[in-house]
PDB file of all heavy atoms in Angstrom:
ATOM      1  N   ILE A 200      16.591 -20.546   2.626  1.00  0.00           N
ATOM      2  CA  ILE A 200      15.361 -21.202   2.166  1.00  0.00           C
ATOM      3  C   ILE A 200      14.229 -20.188   2.056  1.00  0.00           C
ATOM      4  O   ILE A 200      13.417 -20.230   1.128  1.00  0.00           O
ATOM      5  CB  ILE A 200      14.980 -22.352   3.129  1.00  0.00           C
ATOM      6  CG1 ILE A 200      16.088 -23.397   3.165  1.00  0.00           C
ATOM      7  CG2 ILE A 200      13.674 -22.994   2.693  1.00  0.00           C
ATOM      8  CD1 ILE A 200      15.869 -24.478   4.218  1.00  0.00           C
ATOM      9  N   ALA A 201      14.185 -19.226   3.020  1.00  0.00           N
ATOM     10  CA  ALA A 201      13.180 -18.167   2.953  1.00  0.00           C
ATOM     11  C   ALA A 201      13.366 -17.327   1.694  1.00  0.00           C
ATOM     12  O   ALA A 201      12.384 -16.954   1.031  1.00  0.00           O
ATOM     13  CB  ALA A 201      13.263 -17.287   4.195  1.00  0.00           C
ATOM     14  N   ALA A 202      14.633 -17.042   1.352  1.00  0.00           N
ATOM     15  CA  ALA A 202      14.905 -16.277   0.126  1.00  0.00           C
ATOM     16  C   ALA A 202      14.440 -17.052  -1.099  1.00  0.00           C
ATOM     17  O   ALA A 202      13.880 -16.472  -2.044  1.00  0.00           O
ATOM     18  CB  ALA A 202      16.399 -15.967   0.029  1.00  0.00           C
ATOM     19  N   ALA A 203      14.656 -18.376  -1.092  1.00  0.00           N
ATOM     20  CA  ALA A 203      14.160 -19.207  -2.197  1.00  0.00           C
ATOM     21  C   ALA A 203      12.633 -19.147  -2.273  1.00  0.00           C
ATOM     22  O   ALA A 203      12.045 -19.091  -3.362  1.00  0.00           O
ATOM     23  CB  ALA A 203      14.632 -20.645  -2.015  1.00  0.00           C
ATOM     24  N   GLY A 204      11.988 -19.146  -1.108  1.00  0.00           N
ATOM     25  CA  GLY A 204      10.532 -19.021  -1.075  1.00  0.00           C
ATOM     26  C   GLY A 204      10.067 -17.703  -1.654  1.00  0.00           C
ATOM     27  O   GLY A 204       9.044 -17.643  -2.355  1.00  0.00           O
ATOM     28  N   LEU A 205      10.817 -16.628  -1.389  1.00  0.00           N
ATOM     29  CA  LEU A 205      10.473 -15.322  -1.958  1.00  0.00           C
ATOM     30  C   LEU A 205      10.637 -15.325  -3.477  1.00  0.00           C
ATOM     31  O   LEU A 205       9.862 -14.682  -4.194  1.00  0.00           O
ATOM     32  CB  LEU A 205      11.339 -14.235  -1.330  1.00  0.00           C
ATOM     33  CG  LEU A 205      11.022 -13.891   0.137  1.00  0.00           C
ATOM     34  CD1 LEU A 205      12.085 -12.959   0.706  1.00  0.00           C
ATOM     35  CD2 LEU A 205       9.646 -13.252   0.245  1.00  0.00           C
ATOM     36  N   VAL A 206      11.636 -16.042  -3.970  1.00  0.00           N
ATOM     37  CA  VAL A 206      11.810 -16.172  -5.423  1.00  0.00           C
ATOM     38  C   VAL A 206      10.606 -16.889  -6.028  1.00  0.00           C
ATOM     39  O   VAL A 206      10.082 -16.483  -7.075  1.00  0.00           O
ATOM     40  CB  VAL A 206      13.117 -16.920  -5.745  1.00  0.00           C
ATOM     41  CG1 VAL A 206      13.192 -17.239  -7.236  1.00  0.00           C
ATOM     42  CG2 VAL A 206      14.328 -16.099  -5.316  1.00  0.00           C
ATOM     43  N   VAL A 207      10.156 -17.965  -5.373  1.00  0.00           N
ATOM     44  CA  VAL A 207       8.963 -18.681  -5.836  1.00  0.00           C
ATOM     45  C   VAL A 207       7.753 -17.748  -5.825  1.00  0.00           C
ATOM     46  O   VAL A 207       6.946 -17.734  -6.762  1.00  0.00           O
ATOM     47  CB  VAL A 207       8.707 -19.924  -4.962  1.00  0.00           C
ATOM     48  CG1 VAL A 207       7.370 -20.570  -5.328  1.00  0.00           C
ATOM     49  CG2 VAL A 207       9.841 -20.924  -5.113  1.00  0.00           C
ATOM     50  N   PHE A 208       7.624 -16.949  -4.768  1.00  0.00           N
ATOM     51  CA  PHE A 208       6.528 -15.985  -4.654  1.00  0.00           C
ATOM     52  C   PHE A 208       6.554 -15.020  -5.836  1.00  0.00           C
ATOM     53  O   PHE A 208       5.522 -14.741  -6.457  1.00  0.00           O
ATOM     54  CB  PHE A 208       6.657 -15.220  -3.334  1.00  0.00           C
ATOM     55  CG  PHE A 208       5.499 -14.334  -3.011  1.00  0.00           C
ATOM     56  CD1 PHE A 208       4.474 -14.774  -2.183  1.00  0.00           C
ATOM     57  CD2 PHE A 208       5.425 -13.042  -3.517  1.00  0.00           C
ATOM     58  CE1 PHE A 208       3.400 -13.950  -1.880  1.00  0.00           C
ATOM     59  CE2 PHE A 208       4.360 -12.214  -3.225  1.00  0.00           C
ATOM     60  CZ  PHE A 208       3.337 -12.669  -2.401  1.00  0.00           C
ATOM     61  N   TYR A 209       7.751 -14.503  -6.161  1.00  0.00           N
ATOM     62  CA  TYR A 209       7.904 -13.575  -7.279  1.00  0.00           C
ATOM     63  C   TYR A 209       7.536 -14.237  -8.606  1.00  0.00           C
ATOM     64  O   TYR A 209       6.827 -13.645  -9.433  1.00  0.00           O
ATOM     65  CB  TYR A 209       9.347 -13.065  -7.327  1.00  0.00           C
ATOM     66  CG  TYR A 209       9.697 -12.358  -8.616  1.00  0.00           C
ATOM     67  CD1 TYR A 209       9.234 -11.077  -8.873  1.00  0.00           C
ATOM     68  CD2 TYR A 209      10.489 -12.996  -9.583  1.00  0.00           C
ATOM     69  CE1 TYR A 209       9.548 -10.434 -10.061  1.00  0.00           C
ATOM     70  CE2 TYR A 209      10.802 -12.354 -10.764  1.00  0.00           C
ATOM     71  CZ  TYR A 209      10.328 -11.085 -11.003  1.00  0.00           C
ATOM     72  OH  TYR A 209      10.637 -10.457 -12.179  1.00  0.00           O
ATOM     73  N   LEU A 210       8.005 -15.470  -8.816  1.00  0.00           N
ATOM     74  CA  LEU A 210       7.719 -16.166 -10.071  1.00  0.00           C
ATOM     75  C   LEU A 210       6.225 -16.458 -10.211  1.00  0.00           C
ATOM     76  O   LEU A 210       5.667 -16.384 -11.324  1.00  0.00           O
ATOM     77  CB  LEU A 210       8.530 -17.463 -10.144  1.00  0.00           C
ATOM     78  CG  LEU A 210      10.046 -17.280 -10.277  1.00  0.00           C
ATOM     79  CD1 LEU A 210      10.744 -18.637 -10.217  1.00  0.00           C
ATOM     80  CD2 LEU A 210      10.395 -16.568 -11.592  1.00  0.00           C
ATOM     81  N   MET A 211       5.574 -16.785  -9.116  1.00  0.00           N
ATOM     82  CA  MET A 211       4.132 -17.009  -9.157  1.00  0.00           C
ATOM     83  C   MET A 211       3.395 -15.733  -9.560  1.00  0.00           C
ATOM     84  O   MET A 211       2.422 -15.763 -10.324  1.00  0.00           O
ATOM     85  CB  MET A 211       3.648 -17.520  -7.799  1.00  0.00           C
ATOM     86  CG  MET A 211       4.078 -18.953  -7.489  1.00  0.00           C
ATOM     87  SD  MET A 211       3.774 -19.431  -5.768  1.00  0.00           S
ATOM     88  CE  MET A 211       1.985 -19.352  -5.688  1.00  0.00           C
ATOM     89  N   GLN A 212       3.870 -14.594  -9.053  1.00  0.00           N
ATOM     90  CA  GLN A 212       3.275 -13.319  -9.449  1.00  0.00           C
ATOM     91  C   GLN A 212       3.536 -13.041 -10.922  1.00  0.00           C
ATOM     92  O   GLN A 212       2.628 -12.627 -11.666  1.00  0.00           O
ATOM     93  CB  GLN A 212       3.869 -12.185  -8.604  1.00  0.00           C
ATOM     94  CG  GLN A 212       3.329 -12.118  -7.201  1.00  0.00           C
ATOM     95  CD  GLN A 212       1.927 -11.546  -7.162  1.00  0.00           C
ATOM     96  OE1 GLN A 212       1.687 -10.403  -7.533  1.00  0.00           O
ATOM     97  NE2 GLN A 212       0.979 -12.353  -6.737  1.00  0.00           N
ATOM     98  N   ARG A 213       4.752 -13.280 -11.368  1.00  0.00           N
ATOM     99  CA  ARG A 213       5.116 -12.969 -12.744  1.00  0.00           C
ATOM    100  C   ARG A 213       4.370 -13.852 -13.729  1.00  0.00           C
ATOM    101  O   ARG A 213       3.999 -13.396 -14.828  1.00  0.00           O
ATOM    102  CB  ARG A 213       6.625 -13.143 -12.928  1.00  0.00           C
ATOM    103  CG  ARG A 213       7.112 -12.774 -14.310  1.00  0.00           C
ATOM    104  CD  ARG A 213       8.619 -12.797 -14.390  1.00  0.00           C
ATOM    105  NE  ARG A 213       9.084 -12.396 -15.713  1.00  0.00           N
ATOM    106  CZ  ARG A 213      10.356 -12.299 -16.055  1.00  0.00           C
ATOM    107  NH1 ARG A 213      11.304 -12.580 -15.164  1.00  0.00           N
ATOM    108  NH2 ARG A 213      10.697 -11.935 -17.286  1.00  0.00           N
ATOM    109  N   HIS A 214       4.143 -15.102 -13.368  1.00  0.00           N
ATOM    110  CA  HIS A 214       3.464 -16.043 -14.273  1.00  0.00           C
ATOM    111  C   HIS A 214       1.958 -16.122 -14.017  1.00  0.00           C
ATOM    112  O   HIS A 214       1.296 -17.042 -14.482  1.00  0.00           O
ATOM    113  CB  HIS A 214       4.103 -17.426 -14.151  1.00  0.00           C
ATOM    114  CG  HIS A 214       5.505 -17.481 -14.681  1.00  0.00           C
ATOM    115  ND1 HIS A 214       5.795 -17.474 -16.028  1.00  0.00           N
ATOM    116  CD2 HIS A 214       6.705 -17.519 -14.044  1.00  0.00           C
ATOM    117  CE1 HIS A 214       7.102 -17.520 -16.204  1.00  0.00           C
ATOM    118  NE2 HIS A 214       7.685 -17.545 -15.022  1.00  0.00           N
TER     119      HIS A 214
END
Side-chain angles (χ1 to χ4, degrees):
I200 299 173
L205 289 171
V206 171
V207 173
F208 188 96
Y209 167 75
L210 292 175
M211 289 169 64
Q212 284 285 298
R213 183 173 182 178
H214 292 286

